[in-house]
Amino acid sequence: MSTGAAKKATYTVAVIGATGVVGRESLEILEERRFPLERLRLFASKRSAGESLSCQGREWTIEELTPQGPFQGIDFAFISATDAVSREYGPRLAEAGVVVIDDSAVFRMDADVPLVVPEVNAHALDSAKRRIIAIPNCTTTPLVMVLQPLHEAATIKRVVVTTFQSVSGTGGAAMAELLDQTKALLSFKEVKAEVYPHQIAFNCLPHIGSFGEGGDCSEETKIVNETRKILEAPGMRITATAVRVPVMRCHSEAVNIETERPLKPNEARALLSGMPGVIVFDDPVRKLYPMPLDVAGKDEVYVGRVREDHSVTNGLNLWLVSDNLRKGAALNAVQIAEALIASA
């Protein structure tokens, strides 16, 4: 294992951004999966320092994140904060001998940093040269988990994906804003939009991230580039439209796929059923299909509405839903640490 993590019975883990929605989810997952913790170090801003959070039956005090650390003795660090924090502290932690598993966009397209979804490309962990491992965007992760078995079987030529992303992808302030706006509207009061450029309650915003010169927003560009890197398919034609929707938790995606050879819906369902971490939930006659309400809190990527697209040769449509805080972020990071431990 090129990251340098040693095989031990227990490990010291740091969570940077511990008070954020992904950080708190990380603590839940470390507890649920009985991660072999020796010590847990929680880092956040100065205003949270001294408070405590619980995990695995113990209370852990939050420390202020400063350049002085100290960071020695930490085995794994999960960073779920801002790009600026990742940019400053990712290399700093790696230099201190820590294996950094980063949730930002800062390192994802770095050629020396593996971008990993363990079910899809765990082999990429062997290429880590800087003790930094990136996890993908929370829409890319479920997408590649669904595309990978189909690509292996029929070679995907083109992907058209439209995402319907929950406000938790923006963070706790966005979740509070949706709740506050909904209460205000139902009480016939004035609505304030501070996190998003427009009202999100009872609305959809076709705008996630910043707009580039060509009109794509940064979220759409991430999906395209990250999918190609993870699937090791630099020539795959992909186009994306990202939409923020008034849902608290779970991202949904409408995916249209064109393949080199025909892929019938039943074959696609069988391939997806055999993919670790994917659940096929597809019986429209009984009105069974994935919905955020049902998938919230689940680890798996749920897939349904699998059907032929007759407008093109070898076309397939499907719908997927994934909990963006779990498999889209915290769970994926913990699984990477588990994979590194298993291979040590």
Side-chain angles (χ1 to χ4, degrees):
M1 183 173 55
S2 56
T3 56
K7 186 77 168 183
K8 303 194 298 185
T10 55
Y11 298 83
T12 296
V13 173
V15 178
I16 296 173
T19 57
V21 290
V22 175
R24 290 176 183 271
E25 201 73 24
S26 298
L27 300 188
E28 289 188 22
I29 290 168
L30 288 169
E31 182 161 325
E32 289 172 11
R33 297 176 74 87
R34 299 181 180 180
F35 190 91
L37 278 179
E38 177 181 341
R39 185 183 177 197
L40 186 58
R41 296 187 63 190
L42 307 180
F43 292 94
S45 63
K46 185 176 182 178
R47 67 176 179 271
S48 299
E51 299 176 7
S52 64
L53 293 171
S54 63
C55 181
Q56 294 193 357
R58 297 173 61 183
E59 293 293 319
W60 307 91
T61 302
I62 298 170
E63 306 173 52
E64 180 185 357
L65 181 65
T66 66
Q68 290 73 35
F71 303 124
Q72 285 71 25
I74 297 172
D75 297 297
F76 297 101
F78 302 133
I79 304 182
S80 299
T82 63
D83 282 2
V85 168
S86 292
R87 194 172 289 112
E88 177 179 356
Y89 287 93
R92 193 184 296 275
L93 285 156
E95 288 168 9
V98 181
V99 176
V100 177
I101 303 174
D102 185 65
D103 187 26
S104 77
V106 172
F107 305 106
R108 289 175 185 159
M109 300 312 298
D110 188 321
D112 291 334
V113 174
L115 181 62
V116 177
V117 177
E119 296 91 338
V120 176
N121 66 332
H123 63 273
L125 292 170
D126 295 333
S127 67
K129 298 177 182 177
R130 299 174 54 191
R131 282 201 177 91
I132 298 175
I133 299 157
I135 69 171
N137 184 282
C138 47
T139 49
T140 304
T141 297
L143 179 63
V144 296
M145 288 179 65
V146 168
L147 294 183
Q148 197 253 4
L150 305 181
H151 184 53
E152 281 193 353
T155 308
I156 294 173
K157 297 195 300 183
R158 184 170 187 255
V159 180
V160 181
V161 57
T162 302
T163 70
F164 303 82
Q165 297 179 223
S166 67
V167 295
S168 58
T170 309
M175 298 171 76
E177 179 159 290
L178 173 57
L179 190 60
D180 290 343
Q181 288 181 356
T182 302
K183 288 178 179 177
L185 287 166
L186 294 177
S187 302
F188 303 100
K189 295 180 180 178
E190 182 183 355
V191 170
K192 295 180 180 179
E194 296 174 347
V195 176
Y196 296 119
H198 304 283
Q199 172 187 315
I200 184 60
F202 302 98
N203 198 16
C204 294
L205 308 181
H207 171 195
I208 301 179
S210 57
F211 284 106
E213 291 182 4
D216 288 332
C217 62
S218 55
E219 186 82 358
E220 294 155 354
T221 303
K222 290 175 190 176
I223 293 169
V224 172
N225 293 337
E226 293 172 20
T227 299
R228 288 172 175 162
K229 180 175 179 177
I230 294 166
L231 295 179
E232 300 173 10
M236 185 179 287
R237 292 181 291 160
I238 310 169
T239 184
T241 300
V243 183
R244 188 72 67 188
V245 295
V247 171
M248 278 292 183
R249 186 164 174 152
C250 288
H251 292 349
S252 305
E253 304 180 33
V255 186
N256 177 267
I257 301 165
E258 291 183 51
T259 55
E260 291 282 359
R261 74 162 183 85
L263 191 62
K264 294 298 182 182
N266 279 341
E267 184 183 357
R269 291 187 191 99
L271 291 165
L272 292 167
S273 295
M275 179 68 183
V278 172
I279 290 179
V280 175
F281 192 69
D282 191 15
D283 192 350
V285 174
R286 298 170 57 204
K287 298 181 176 61
L288 297 179
Y289 31 72
M291 297 184 294
L293 267 178
D294 298 324
V295 177
K298 305 286 179 61
D299 289 343
E300 298 83 6
V301 177
Y302 282 67
V303 184
R305 298 297 316 282
V306 181
R307 63 203 190 278
E308 285 186 73
D309 172 11
H310 297 288
S311 71
V312 295
T313 302
N314 301 338
L316 198 70
N317 286 308
L318 58 85
W319 169 261
L320 68 85
V321 181
S322 175
D323 189 320
N324 56 294
L325 299 182
R326 293 186 74 86
K327 187 54 187 171
L331 174 62
N332 200 59
V334 172
Q335 286 176 311
I336 287 171
E338 291 172 339
L340 290 170
I341 291 169
S343 65

